Amino acid sequence: MILCGSAIPLIVIFSTGNLKELASIFNLGTLLTFAFINLSLLQLRRTSPNVKRGFKVPFFPITPVAGVISCIFLSSYLSPRAFLYGGEYGYYLDY
């Protein structure tokens, strides 16, 4: 908690205080996470249909497909620089 509390102000300071750009980058990460969760749900239900599950997704497969589509739609409102930074982060994460 102390680490996050000190890291966040440092990120804002080093980004020259452009909070709109930072929010766009973090929103892209959140939307990508939600999209991948929905895609993994579809994949797991297809590859392991007989596994006992503690929760039933209502209106499956409509709900996860709608989740992926809505994440893609919402990401179209983000700044193009967010995608640039996101791609850079993905490249270095994979490297």
Side-chain angles (χ1 to χ4, degrees), residues 15 18 21-22 24-25 28 79-92:
S15 68
N18 190 350
E21 204 64 40
L22 280 175
S24 187
I25 293 167
L28 176 65
S79 73
R81 290 183 66 178
F83 290 96
L84 177 69
Y85 290 130
E88 237 175 74
Y89 177 74
Y91 173 76
Y92 287 115

Side-chain angles (χ1 to χ4, degrees), residues 21-94:
E21 204 64 40
L22 280 175
S24 187
I25 293 167
F26 285 112
N27 285 337
L28 176 65
T30 304
L31 288 171
L32 283 175
T33 302
F34 289 149
F36 283 125
I37 287 170
N38 283 308
L39 287 172
S40 64
L41 174 69
L42 291 168
Q43 178 70 16
L44 284 172
R45 296 290 169 122
R46 187 178 61 82
T47 59
S48 303
N50 297 325
V51 174
K52 185 177 185 222
R53 294 174 171 87
F55 178 76
K56 184 177 178 180
V57 176
F59 307 113
F60 181 82
I62 297 168
T63 307
V65 170
V68 172
I69 291 170
S70 65
C71 287
I72 293 169
F73 174 73
L74 289 172
S75 67
S76 69
Y77 286 100
L78 299 176
S79 73
R81 290 183 66 178
F83 290 96
L84 177 69
Y85 290 130
E88 237 175 74
Y89 177 74
Y91 173 76
Y92 287 115
L93 191 63
D94 189 41

